Amino acid sequence: MYPEFWERLPDVGFILTTSTQTLGERLAYLRKKQGYSMKALADLTGISAAYICKMEAGQRKPARDVMQRLVQALLTEGSQQERDELLLLAGFAPLHY
């Protein structure tokens, strides 16, 4: 039910494991899970499709505000923990800790 980079821990819920998944791979997974094309995600977030493509390919590291827009679009039903973990994967401090 959950991809291999999530692990269920008792009394904690799901956490991101120490897999080799990159930020780009995770963004691509979440985008496809939501059923968005790069163009659709670009329209939703105001981030160009070309920039999204480069992030997914690991050629660009997004700024925090860009990352927050992606988090809002890709984790609409996600928990705060999932949102914070995506920010951490991008190299930013979580919103809640």
Side-chain angles (χ1 to χ4, degrees):
M1 178 159 89
Y2 290 91
E4 67 281 350
F5 53 88
W6 289 100
E7 180 179 327
R8 176 101 171 122
L9 296 180
D11 302 323
V12 177
F14 288 93
I15 64 164
L16 186 66
T17 63
T18 56
S19 76
T20 58
Q21 189 175 41
T22 66
L23 174 62
E25 291 167 338
R26 180 79 182 278
L27 289 173
Y29 168 80
L30 291 170
R31 177 180 57 78
K32 292 172 186 174
K33 180 179 173 188
Q34 291 291 341
Y36 296 140
S37 65
M38 286 185 193
K39 171 84 170 91
L41 183 58
D43 291 343
L44 185 64
T45 60
I47 302 165
S48 75
Y51 193 74
I52 291 169
C53 181
K54 289 179 181 183
M55 283 188 291
E56 289 185 4
Q59 298 172 350
R60 295 286 184 271
K61 182 179 182 247
R64 186 177 179 88
D65 68 311
V66 170
M67 200 60 221
Q68 287 176 318
R69 285 188 274 163
L70 289 168
V71 166
Q72 287 179 330
L74 296 172
L75 293 172
T76 56
E77 297 179 15
S79 70
Q80 187 59 51
Q81 180 180 350
E82 290 173 307
R83 293 168 188 239
D84 286 344
E85 287 169 349
L86 193 55
L87 288 172
L88 284 169
L89 191 59
F92 299 110
L95 295 175
H96 302 88
Y97 52 93

